[in-house]
Amino acid sequence: NRCLRNLYGKHDPAKDKRDRIISAFREEIYDSPLMIKARKKFSTGKCTSCCKATKLHIDHDVVPFAQIMDEFLASKRLEIENVKLNYRSKPFLFSSRKLASDWVSWHDAHANLTGLCRSCNSAKGSSGYRRNRTVTSKGTVCKHTCPPDST
């Protein structure tokens, strides 16, 4: 896929780096207490949206994963591009184990998980949430297009 994008001039190294970092955020929480509990509770059963009995996917209900991640980064006054990864292992993990521990704690304190079937989970996406990239001087995520220091 990356080879094809490169062949047609569509390869974006910055996007690839960003995708690896987001993947690391997901990987870091995989064995968190909340995620382990959710996998046990929602492995199979009825979809909380359509009630279809099937294998379930874990969904971040109420507050989407992307928003939880954005708010964590804002609380740390970090831009996603500045999160350092350990590239020696696959999947990628944070270089800073302190940051990883803080992220797991933050995620588990802010996430509300539920079980959805594959089609409902795909259809839901991130509930209309669009990643915010502007962090105010107070460390909060600005949902507008204003400069970082104007809020």
Side-chain angles (χ1 to χ4, degrees):
N1 195 2
R2 185 171 39 187
C3 291
L4 286 174
R5 287 194 316 264
N6 194 32
L7 180 67
Y8 292 102
K10 302 287 183 186
H11 180 245
D12 183 354
K15 183 182 180 318
D16 285 349
K17 178 182 178 184
R18 185 180 195 83
D19 289 347
R20 284 192 301 271
I21 294 170
I22 292 170
S23 178
F25 269 91
R26 289 191 180 279
E27 189 59 36
E28 289 291 357
I29 61 166
Y30 185 80
D31 288 326
S32 78
L34 184 67
M35 292 297 286
I36 290 170
K37 182 179 171 185
R39 279 196 303 278
K40 287 179 183 174
K41 183 177 179 181
F42 299 119
S43 62
T44 58
K46 286 189 177 183
C47 173
T48 56
S49 182
C50 71
C51 298
K52 177 181 167 187
T54 186
K55 180 180 177 194
L56 299 174
H57 294 249
I58 297 172
D59 175 63
H60 286 79
D61 197 22
V62 184
V63 181
F65 175 84
Q67 184 176 347
I68 295 169
M69 186 178 67
D70 280 345
E71 291 172 355
F72 171 76
L73 288 167
S75 77
K76 294 291 186 180
R77 296 179 187 262
L78 269 174
E79 293 293 328
I80 193 167
E81 294 80 10
N82 295 330
V83 174
K84 304 285 187 240
L85 300 182
N86 179 351
Y87 289 99
R88 290 175 296 209
S89 64
K90 284 217 173 196
F92 296 115
L93 297 172
F94 297 166
S95 294
S96 167
R97 301 319 303 151
K98 169 82 169 104
L99 184 67
S101 175
D102 290 351
W103 163 237
V104 168
S105 296
W106 180 278
H107 173 269
D108 284 7
H110 293 86
N112 182 21
L113 304 176
T114 190
L116 293 178
C117 69
R118 181 180 209 157
S119 59
C120 287
N121 194 29
S122 295
K124 182 179 177 195
S126 60
S127 304
Y129 179 80
R130 295 287 176 240
R131 292 219 63 253
N132 293 305
R133 296 185 181 158
T134 304
V135 179
T136 69
S137 57
K138 296 175 188 148
T140 57
V141 176
C142 178
K143 296 185 188 292
H144 310 288
T145 56
C146 51
D149 292 323
S150 68
T151 55

